[in-house]
């Protein structure tokens, strides 16, 4: 409804004093004989373009007679021109409708010497107000609970935004456009962020976090990748895969922290070999690295597991085929 109304304003290149919609839910939340309650988004749209919304009265066809008549004209003059054609996308259909619409508007009215287009330009154009050059952007809403780390997740992007720590555990509303995310608790605006579409990442304002939560701001992909690269390129590659495999950042960061902590306990060489073994299995997590190190599997050459032949070790209890001849 909003996008259709905006497209009409763009087509006319102007804004009327009032828009008279029907009582559909996308425009009117609650109809009334005296003062209808408008849909919040449609009211914001009208305010953006500086016009009034006066919904048609319920069960009063006369309030929208011109609209109903226009619909009848569309079926008579535009629909017949395209009904036999096949369209494979919406853009092609709209382009065909636009051509038919221009023909309809420029055709002289029955019994008169002027067309609808000429009548509009001569009489109605001057009645329109100036069109707002900035397009209206519809706000979407998403309800979520603030997590213990002081962030809330926008489900569409799987991105996390910080809020003041006193709202931890509270249910909030994220109202967002393509550029901005506003977070409300009740009717109070508690945080505003530039929208970031990077999945499983955090946008954090330090002043939002309690002192014991601020250490989380140091946890980010670059931190762990930098630490891993300082150990060995193979460890860096493994850490990158760990972060790709995990669905949520907290899981990835904790796994990365645990894996990199082995460098202090067993040394860089053993950790590098363990990462190579785990990569050969296609497993990217903390438990597999721990298991390889505990079993000291990292001390064996990785080539032994690739199906290559190795020499039989010499031992007094191992007898060759010659013993049985």
């Amino acid at each position: 409804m909003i996008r259709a109304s905006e497209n009409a304003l763009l087509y006319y290149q102007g804004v009327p004093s009032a828009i008279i919609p029907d009582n559909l839910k996308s425009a009117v939340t609650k109809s009334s004989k005296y003062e209808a309650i408008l849909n919040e988004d449609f009211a914001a749209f009208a305010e953006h373009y500086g016009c009034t919304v006066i919904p048609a009265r319920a069960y009063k066809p006369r309030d929208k007679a011109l609209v109903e008549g226009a619909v009848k004209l569309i079926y008579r003059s535009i629909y017949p021109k395209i009904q036999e054609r096949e369209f494979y996308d919406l853009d092609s259909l709209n382009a065909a409708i636009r051509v038919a619409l221009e023909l309809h508007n420029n055709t002289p009215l029955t019994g008169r010497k002027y067309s609808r287009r000429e009548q509009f330009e001569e009489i109605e154009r001057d009645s329109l107000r100036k069109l707002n050059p900035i397009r209206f952007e519809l706000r979407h809403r998403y309800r979520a609970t603030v997590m213990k780390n002081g962030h809330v997740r926008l489900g569409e992007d799987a991105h996390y935004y910080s809020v003041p720590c006193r709202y931890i555990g509270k249910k909030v509303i994220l109202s967002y456009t393509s550029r901005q995310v506003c977070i409300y608790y009740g009717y109070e605006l508690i945080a505003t962020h530039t929208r970031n579409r990077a999945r499983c990442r955090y946008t954090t304002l330090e002043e939002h976090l309690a002192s014991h939560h601020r250490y989380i701001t140091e946890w980010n992909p670059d931190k762990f990748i930098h630490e891993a690269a300082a150990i060995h390129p193979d460890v860096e590659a493994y850490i990158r895969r760990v972060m790709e495999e995990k669905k949520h950042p907290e899981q990835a960061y904790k796994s990365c922290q645990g894996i990199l902590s082995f460098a202090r306990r067993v040394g860089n060489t053993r950790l590098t070999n363990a990462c190579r073994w785990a990569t050969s299995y296609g497993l990217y997590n903390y438990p597999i690295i721990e298991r390889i190190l505990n079993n000291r599997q990292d001390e064996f050459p990785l080539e032994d597991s690739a199906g290559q032949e190795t020499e039989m070790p010499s031992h007094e209890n191992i007898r060759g085929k010659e013993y049985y001849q």
Side-chain angles (χ1 to χ4, degrees):
M1 173 66 180
I2 291 175
R3 192 59 62 213
S5 298
E6 185 177 44
N7 287 340
L9 300 184
L10 294 173
Y11 179 77
Y12 296 131
Q13 286 298 300
V15 181
S17 299
I19 296 177
I20 303 179
D22 205 344
N23 283 276
L24 69 171
K25 287 295 183 182
S26 57
V28 179
T29 300
K30 184 178 180 181
S31 60
S32 171
K33 181 179 179 180
Y34 302 103
E35 186 173 353
I37 299 176
L38 297 180
N39 176 285
E40 187 175 335
D41 291 326
F42 198 78
F45 161 77
E47 182 179 359
H48 179 83
Y49 283 106
C51 60
T52 302
V53 177
I54 306 175
R57 294 172 296 172
Y59 308 109
K60 297 292 182 179
R62 290 183 180 180
D63 285 5
K64 50 182 180 176
L66 291 176
V67 174
E68 298 294 349
V71 172
K72 181 175 66 175
L73 289 174
I74 294 298
Y75 274 102
R76 285 181 177 179
S77 61
I78 295 180
Y79 181 71
K81 291 182 174 65
I82 62 174
Q83 64 178 337
E84 301 298 331
R85 298 173 59 185
E86 291 186 4
F87 301 94
Y88 299 98
D89 58 75
L90 185 59
D91 290 337
S92 300
L93 174 60
N94 285 334
I97 292 174
R98 185 64 178 260
V99 172
L101 176 63
E102 292 304 313
L103 290 174
H104 171 72
N105 287 333
N106 290 304
T107 300
L109 293 167
T110 303
R112 300 178 186 181
K113 297 181 179 181
Y114 56 86
S115 66
R116 291 178 176 82
R117 171 70 65 184
E118 292 171 333
Q119 183 182 29
F120 173 77
E121 295 294 343
E122 292 178 9
I123 301 175
E124 299 173 345
R125 170 71 71 184
D126 293 338
S127 299
L128 297 178
R129 299 176 183 177
K130 189 175 181 180
L131 186 68
N132 191 333
I134 301 174
R135 294 287 298 268
F136 174 74
E137 194 162 11
L138 182 64
R139 282 191 170 272
H140 302 278
R141 291 170 182 80
Y142 182 79
R143 181 182 295 273
T145 302
V146 181
M147 301 184 299
K148 292 182 179 180
N149 62 2
H151 289 76
V152 64
R153 181 176 183 269
L154 177 58
E156 182 176 332
D157 301 332
H159 191 88
Y160 298 80
Y161 297 92
S162 66
V163 300
C165 60
R166 62 181 178 276
Y167 295 101
I168 290 175
K170 305 291 186 181
K171 292 188 178 298
V172 297
I173 297 293
L174 287 81
S175 176
Y176 60 97
T177 65
S178 62
R179 296 187 297 270
Q180 186 184 56
V181 176
C182 296
I183 305 174
Y184 292 87
Y185 178 67
Y187 294 100
E188 179 186 1
L189 177 64
I190 61 175
T192 301
H193 297 278
T194 299
R195 188 172 179 182
N196 189 328
R197 298 178 186 273
R199 298 185 67 81
C200 301
R201 295 291 183 264
Y202 283 78
T203 295
T204 305
L205 298 180
E206 188 172 349
E207 60 266 25
H208 285 169
L209 303 180
S211 58
H212 62 283
H213 283 133
R214 291 185 180 177
Y215 76 94
I216 296 176
T217 61
E218 300 175 0
W219 283 23
N220 57 71
D222 292 338
K223 172 184 183 295
F224 293 109
I225 290 172
H226 179 74
E227 288 184 15
I231 297 173
H232 194 278
D234 290 344
V235 179
E236 177 189 358
Y238 189 79
I239 289 297
R240 287 182 182 274
R241 287 299 305 271
V242 170
M243 286 191 285
E244 291 174 3
E245 294 288 326
K246 297 295 184 182
K247 184 176 181 180
H248 296 290
E250 296 93 335
Q251 293 177 325
Y253 295 162
K254 289 179 180 179
S255 292
C256 292
Q257 184 187 40
I259 292 168
L260 295 175
S261 69
F262 282 119
R264 297 190 299 271
R265 290 182 271 173
V266 301
N268 292 352
T269 301
R270 290 195 63 191
L271 176 58
T272 300
N273 290 336
C275 289
R276 290 170 179 165
W277 273 98
T279 300
S280 71
Y281 296 141
L283 300 175
Y284 302 94
N285 52 55
Y286 172 84
I288 187 62
I289 297 294
E290 182 181 39
R291 190 178 309 121
I292 290 171
L293 292 172
N294 287 342
N295 295 337
R296 307 192 77 87
Q297 184 179 345
D298 58 286
E299 297 179 357
F300 292 94
L302 183 59
E303 291 76 15
D304 288 351
S305 67
Q308 299 182 5
E309 294 184 2
T310 57
E311 295 184 1
M312 182 69 71
S314 177
H315 193 276
E316 60 182 0
N317 291 332
I318 297 178
R319 295 168 289 188
K321 61 182 180 180
E322 294 82 6
Y323 177 83
Y324 299 96
Q325 294 177 353

